Amino acid sequence: MTVIGNPRSWSCQWLPILILLLGTGHGPGVEGVTHYKAGDPVILYVNKVGPYHNPQETYHYYQLPVCCPEKIRHKSLSLGEVLDGDRMAESLYEIRFRENVEKRILCHMQLSSAQVEQLRQAIEELYYFEFVVDDLPIRGFVGYMEESGFLPHSHKIGLWTHLDFHLEFHGDRIIFANVSVRDVKPHSLDGLRPDEFLGLTHTYSVRWSETSVERRSDRRRGDDGGFFPRTLEIHWLSIINSMVLVFLLVGFVAVILMRVLRNDLARYNLDEETTSAGSGDDFDQGDNGWKIIHTDVFRFPPYRGLLCAVLGVGAQFLALGTGIIVMALLGMFNVHRHGAINSAAILLYALTCCISGYVSSHFYRQIGGERWVWNIILTTSLFSVPFFLTWSVVNSVHWANGSTQALPATTILLLLTVWLLVGFPLTVIGGIFGKNNASPFDAPCRTKNIAREIPPQPWYKSTVIHMTVGGFLPFSAISVELYYIFATVWGREQYTLYGILFFVFAILLSVGACISIALTYFQLSGEDYRWWWRSVLSVGSTGLFIFLYSVFYYARRSNMSGAVQTVEFFGYSLLTGYVFFLMLGTISFFSSLKFIRYIYVNLKMD
């Protein structure tokens, strides 16, 4: 089932950006609750099934041999819901508002041995199902498996053929929905001969109860039946660990480094007579050698077009990440609405493309770049090309396995249209403004035509060591919180601690900036003026640590398995590390640039 809703409904939308705006559901902070009268029909949609431990491996519910209407009618979905793998379709369950039902027959089925084996395999892989009632997801396991004893060994598999639906209402609105198999015996799927058919009768019950809770958001966490474990709470250990590290680093930069700089500037700014009368030769020795490279420190780096593209895309993702967190803090994402964050992320990515074009083109023109058209193409391709290649592999694996995570052709065309008509033009427009508004590069020191020879550097000032230190310290500041983020991104519950997330995000950027300044100072003190790319790589290497952590999380902290889930996990984890490299590399570079300008502006030149 690859077509969602009526295909003509996509073509009637004359502006792709409008689809994105509508894709977030019912708007900021609106729950989209339907009002019912007693006896009104309540539509239950079947959605998807999949292994419990593989959150991104999902299949359409009707791919299993279950009760199915003769003609499957799909619900029209938003863009975010499609991206989330939802494929809702009408079911045979007849539910009416505030009307209880006791063991009503859903359908009679005759299953062949092949269909029974399909169900057995699904139950052994702990398949769960997801239904949707009034935008409320309800989940349960497809069947029951019991494995006990060693000698003799028993392996029993049963199918749940009866479901109890429990719905709570307040006035004319549904507040809560759940499904249960308590006090129900599973139908055994063992001992069936290859040529034998299995007769099944599926039944269901519906129980309504009134609740004093007026809004869905007022329900206490954990009151949803607990199908998925909830371990998300305020992580004081993570916060304290991050705060201590930030205070230590900021204190190091503000006290130690600034004290050293004050001494350096005091010595370097002695008049020429004092310098020549004293041991002036000592100024060029040891860790105080950053003055003698003042004619080279602002020498433009190689591959300046690529550097500017990295800075532009990094600035875009900084704006994108901040925007998503701020929108979440303002309550613009409804936790009961599927795919709201997905739609908002696509919308913000398209709109923030102007930032990448502006920053990249502006700085490229400042440092003497002339091929600004090529710079714009490189900027717009720096993330979109790796993302497209990764998505192509992941989507192909999902499509080959029949997963609902494989995007329909209409959705692919929609996203491509959004990029072509919104993202790319905004990048070009931003690039034009950046190029036209660029002023000459503000360098406090004049650069000589002939580059100064760089003395041999000790091993602890090498690029690899700087990348190790500059990547590990920011990673350690977020390592505890990173576990909870992975547990939700690769789980099934939404992350709701956005205040803590914003705080940790600010800590990450602060630590990255402090480490960048410190490492840049140590590099310049060794008379090495090649800081441009080094500053990007040093703190940007945090993305590599995040990817290494994802490998550890997959192997030691999760139960994910199978080709579908593995390809998706490592493909998008690699992209996540790449995005963090771009963001933190940008923060690191501009922090180092600001610092270098500060120390050389305050240095008196002959």
Side-chain angles (χ1 to χ4, degrees), residues 383 386-387 390-391 547 570-580:
F383 175 77
F387 175 80
T390 303
W391 171 83
F547 177 74
F570 285 107
Y572 288 125
S573 294
L574 191 62
L575 273 181
T576 301
Y578 179 54
V579 168
F580 272 90

Side-chain angles (χ1 to χ4, degrees), residues 90-310:
E90 294 182 4
S91 66
L92 295 175
Y93 294 97
E94 296 182 4
I95 301 177
R96 294 188 177 275
F97 189 66
R98 301 180 62 173
E99 291 186 3
N100 293 333
V101 173
E102 287 295 335
K103 207 167 185 179
R104 177 179 293 173
I105 295 178
L106 183 67
C107 73
H108 300 281
M109 298 189 68
Q110 290 290 327
L111 301 182
S112 65
S113 58
Q115 291 175 317
V116 172
E117 183 59 31
Q118 183 182 0
L119 286 174
R120 285 177 56 88
Q121 183 177 357
I123 295 171
E124 287 179 340
E125 295 180 7
L126 297 180
Y127 267 47
Y128 75 99
F129 62 83
E130 179 180 283
F131 297 161
V132 179
V133 176
D134 196 24
D135 284 334
L136 291 172
I138 52 179
R139 306 177 180 97
F141 284 107
V142 173
Y144 169 82
M145 181 176 65
E146 178 182 346
E147 200 147 359
S148 61
F150 181 70
L151 287 175
H153 174 70
S154 63
H155 183 73
K156 300 179 181 178
I157 295 179
L159 176 69
W160 299 117
T161 57
H162 178 82
L163 298 178
D164 284 320
F165 295 100
H166 176 214
L167 298 101
E168 295 181 3
F169 66 94
H170 180 87
D172 58 355
R173 293 170 290 121
I174 300 176
I175 303 299
F176 174 73
N178 191 22
V179 64
S180 172
V181 290
R182 190 177 303 173
D183 302 328
V184 177
K185 292 184 179 181
H187 194 287
S188 176
L189 299 182
D190 299 320
L192 187 68
R193 295 192 302 270
D195 57 343
E196 186 178 357
F197 284 83
L198 178 65
L200 295 176
T201 300
H202 288 270
T203 58
Y204 67 99
S205 300
V206 180
R207 294 180 178 85
W208 292 87
S209 60
E210 191 168 6
T211 179
S212 59
V213 178
E214 297 183 3
R215 295 183 302 175
R216 296 174 179 178
S217 57
D218 292 338
R219 272 192 81 88
R220 293 178 299 172
R221 292 178 60 83
D223 286 353
D224 61 349
F227 182 76
F228 292 139
R230 291 182 178 270
T231 58
L232 294 180
E233 49 192 31
I234 298 180
H235 322 307
W236 296 114
L237 177 62
S238 171
I239 298 172
I240 295 174
N241 171 70
S242 302
M243 289 180 62
V244 169
L245 183 59
V246 168
F247 288 144
L248 289 176
L249 289 174
V250 173
F252 172 77
V253 173
V255 179
I256 306 299
L257 196 55
M258 296 306 293
R259 185 174 182 179
V260 173
L261 276 176
R262 189 181 300 113
N263 293 334
D264 287 352
L265 290 171
R267 297 177 62 196
Y268 288 161
N269 289 333
L270 292 174
D271 57 53
E272 186 174 358
E273 293 180 359
T274 306
T275 302
S276 58
S279 54
D281 293 337
D282 292 340
F283 295 166
D284 295 344
Q285 306 298 325
D287 289 335
N288 295 327
W290 55 268
K291 176 188 176 182
I292 62 176
I293 60 172
H294 67 274
T295 57
D296 295 280
V297 72
F298 292 105
R299 188 179 303 278
F300 297 147
Y303 309 109
R304 64 186 71 178
L306 178 60
L307 175 65
C308 295
V310 169

Side-chain angles (χ1 to χ4, degrees), residues 405-422:
Q405 297 289 335
L407 296 183
T410 51
T411 305
I412 297 173
L413 292 176
L414 171 63
L415 296 177
L416 182 61
T417 303
V418 169
W419 186 80
L420 290 175
L421 298 184
V422 181

Side-chain angles (χ1 to χ4, degrees), residues 307 310-311 532-541 581 585 588-589:
L307 175 65
V310 169
L311 299 179
W532 301 76
W533 277 108
R534 178 78 68 87
S535 63
V536 174
L537 296 175
S538 59
V539 180
S541 61
F581 164 77
S588 176
F589 176 84

Side-chain angles (χ1 to χ4, degrees), residues 304 364-365 367-375 435:
R304 64 186 71 178
Y364 183 68
R365 177 54 65 93
I367 61 176
E370 298 179 354
R371 303 173 60 189
W372 75 275
V373 175
W374 167 249
N375 174 253
K435 175 180 70 72

Side-chain angles (χ1 to χ4, degrees), residues 242-503:
S242 302
M243 289 180 62
V244 169
L245 183 59
V246 168
F247 288 144
L248 289 176
L249 289 174
V250 173
F252 172 77
V253 173
V255 179
I256 306 299
L257 196 55
M258 296 306 293
R259 185 174 182 179
V260 173
L261 276 176
R262 189 181 300 113
N263 293 334
D264 287 352
L265 290 171
R267 297 177 62 196
Y268 288 161
N269 289 333
L270 292 174
D271 57 53
E272 186 174 358
E273 293 180 359
T274 306
T275 302
S276 58
S279 54
D281 293 337
D282 292 340
F283 295 166
D284 295 344
Q285 306 298 325
D287 289 335
N288 295 327
W290 55 268
K291 176 188 176 182
I292 62 176
I293 60 172
H294 67 274
T295 57
D296 295 280
V297 72
F298 292 105
R299 188 179 303 278
F300 297 147
Y303 309 109
R304 64 186 71 178
L306 178 60
L307 175 65
C308 295
V310 169
L311 299 179
V313 179
Q316 177 187 2
F317 276 105
L318 283 171
L320 173 61
T322 305
I324 288 290
I325 298 175
V326 169
M327 290 175 65
L329 284 173
L330 296 176
M332 300 181 70
F333 299 134
N334 177 15
V335 297
H336 298 292
R337 190 68 178 174
H338 294 215
I341 293 184
N342 293 338
S343 299
I346 294 175
L347 171 63
L348 286 181
Y349 175 79
L351 295 179
T352 54
C353 283
C354 59
I355 297 178
S356 64
Y358 181 88
V359 173
S360 177
S361 183
H362 184 270
F363 196 71
Y364 183 68
R365 177 54 65 93
Q366 277 191 327
I367 61 176
E370 298 179 354
R371 303 173 60 189
W372 75 275
V373 175
W374 167 249
N375 174 253
I376 290 296
I377 296 176
L378 183 60
T379 301
T380 195
S381 305
L382 196 63
F383 175 77
S384 59
V385 171
F387 175 80
F388 177 77
L389 294 177
T390 303
W391 171 83
S392 298
V393 174
V394 173
N395 199 69
S396 298
V397 173
H398 281 298
W399 177 80
N401 288 271
S403 171
T404 59
Q405 297 289 335
L407 296 183
T410 51
T411 305
I412 297 173
L413 292 176
L414 171 63
L415 296 177
L416 182 61
T417 303
V418 169
W419 186 80
L420 290 175
L421 298 184
V422 181
F424 182 73
L426 285 180
T427 306
V428 176
I429 294 173
I432 294 174
F433 276 97
K435 175 180 70 72
N436 294 335
N437 294 333
S439 57
F441 186 77
D442 183 19
C445 308
R446 182 172 53 87
T447 301
K448 288 185 177 180
N449 294 330
I450 301 176
R452 188 177 188 276
E453 183 178 356
I454 300 174
Q457 299 295 311
W459 64 270
Y460 55 84
K461 290 186 177 180
S462 64
T463 303
V464 175
I465 298 300
H466 277 206
M467 290 178 63
T468 303
V469 175
F472 177 75
L473 289 178
F475 170 77
S476 63
I478 63 170
S479 57
V480 177
E481 189 70 20
L482 199 61
Y483 166 77
Y484 295 100
I485 295 175
F486 267 72
T488 51
V489 170
W490 299 106
R492 302 173 182 84
E493 293 299 318
Q494 283 194 332
Y495 192 96
T496 55
L497 303 176
Y498 298 115
I500 303 299
L501 183 61
F502 183 80
F503 182 73

